[in-house]
Amino acid sequence: MALIVQKFGGSSVKDAEHLRNVADIVTGTYKNGNDVVVVVSAQGDTTDDLIDKAKEINRNPSKREMDQLLTAGEQISASLLAMTIEDLGYPVVSLLGWQAGFSTSTAYGSARIKRVNPERIKAELSKRNIVVVTGFQGVNKYDDMTTLGRGGSDTSAVAIAASMHADLCQIYTDVDGVYTADPRKIPAARKLDVISYDEMLELATLGAQVLNNRSVEMAKKYHIELEVLSSLTRAKGTIVKEATNVEKMLISGVAKDENVARISVIGVPDKPGLAFRIFSKLAQKNVNVDIILQSIGRNGTKDISFTVEKDKMDATIELMQSYVETIGASSVVFDDDVAKVSIVGAGMESHPGVASDMFEALFEANVNIQMISTSEIKISVLIKKEDANKAVAAIHAKFFEQIGQ
Ligand code: ADP
Ligand code: ASP
Ligand code: MG
């Protein structure tokens, strides 16, 4: 007998028929003698719909009230799934985040899980109940409900698996695994049998939404093997685990992120300490900076450009504008009509030709590169947003669709 955590995303629980399908998977696992903890997301587009509803009423609602609202989405799907399982004749109980022992930080809208106390879940399992838990939520030290940030149910599932030392953590979704690119956009994308935590973390951070990046970070930290699989096809999925040398792929995938904006501070005096002053200012305000580019100094000045998440753009421009005079720069310009396209692969470390192949693919597709950043296992380029799909297709074709591969 094993302890199995199964997480189902919004599309897997979107209506009664899908809930019935999920109930079949869950009860099938239970019937085989396993303890089953199920984590669910809100049904279909419920979270987006709730956000729209709130914005109709108040353009700028408080984050606390938003969390009060959004946590309702998961409450609905958890109780409905429990009723579906009940209807099949199995013992089941649904629990909200606080009932399931999720303590989080106070940051409404992007809370971090501090601790999971699984006592209640254990007590229910010992009564041979199937336990359904709401993903994406917890409770903070003020006894307020919090949410974990979009896509956060994956992290809820991994946190339960870690706190209970589960034998298996399955992430069921609407595709049957992790692919070399988004299979909905790139029909030639290939399913990966296995991918390392590090590569999956990069792909998730760089835009492959199939797993939330925090969930991968946590899985790596607590050595939880994940399986990403479809709730509809029952095909074997993709295993996310610690890498072994044998499995090192040259490139494991291509990802696209449109949630990005470029900011440039123009005419910064060309002397030591100014980059430090700009970026420490941003760090103080919790703005995550990604790609950074500094031009060569000419006539005593240089330009410093960097990318930030789109929703941090306005605050960053304001911050930089208020700072331009202090540092003696001339202006701040921005562009949010950009996208970041990246390749990820643990094998690129030891293969020098990868960057040139990527840039050749972009050249052949007539895509201009604005900025480049690299690490040991990834290369990212910033390009015009309208070129993004074409760029992903060209890069994917170069690395995965050549004859003989
Ligand atoms: P869920 O609601 O189950 O959490 P998500 O919509 O968050 O599902 O994630 C699944 C989606 O991720 C897929 O429908 C797919 O379009 C997208 N996706 C993006 N990149 C990839 C990739 N490399 N492999 C698989 N799916 C990907
Ligand atoms: N329902 C939440 C969202 O849409 C959490 C999740 O789906 O993981 O972001
Ligand atoms: Mg998701």
Side-chain angles (χ1 to χ4, degrees), residues 214-230:
R214 277 196 195 168
S215 72
V216 184
E217 213 167 53
M218 193 181 283
K220 177 179 157 96
K221 185 166 169 193
Y222 296 101
H223 312 285
I224 305 292
E225 251 182 52
L226 305 178
E227 184 182 5
V228 179
L229 68 175
S230 164

Side-chain angles (χ1 to χ4, degrees), residues 79 86 171 207 233 242 262 264 314 338 367 393:
S79 49
E86 243 172 36
I171 309 287
T233 66
E242 205 60 72
R262 178 169 55 86
S264 302
D314 290 343
V338 289
V367 174

Side-chain angles (χ1 to χ4, degrees), residues 185-186 254-258 335-342 358 361-370 381-396:
K185 307 264 168 54
I186 305 287
V254 187
K256 174 185 80 168
D257 183 3
E258 295 186 345
D335 185 358
D336 65 349
D337 218 11
V338 289
K340 185 164 57 182
V341 171
S342 311
M358 179 182 185
L362 291 167
F363 163 63
E364 285 162 357
N366 199 23
V367 174
N368 189 38
I369 301 173
Q370 301 180 5
V381 294
L382 193 78
I383 58 176
K384 266 208 297 220
K385 186 153 85 190
E386 66 184 44
D387 286 340
N389 289 336
K390 167 165 99 168
V392 173
I395 295 167
H396 191 272

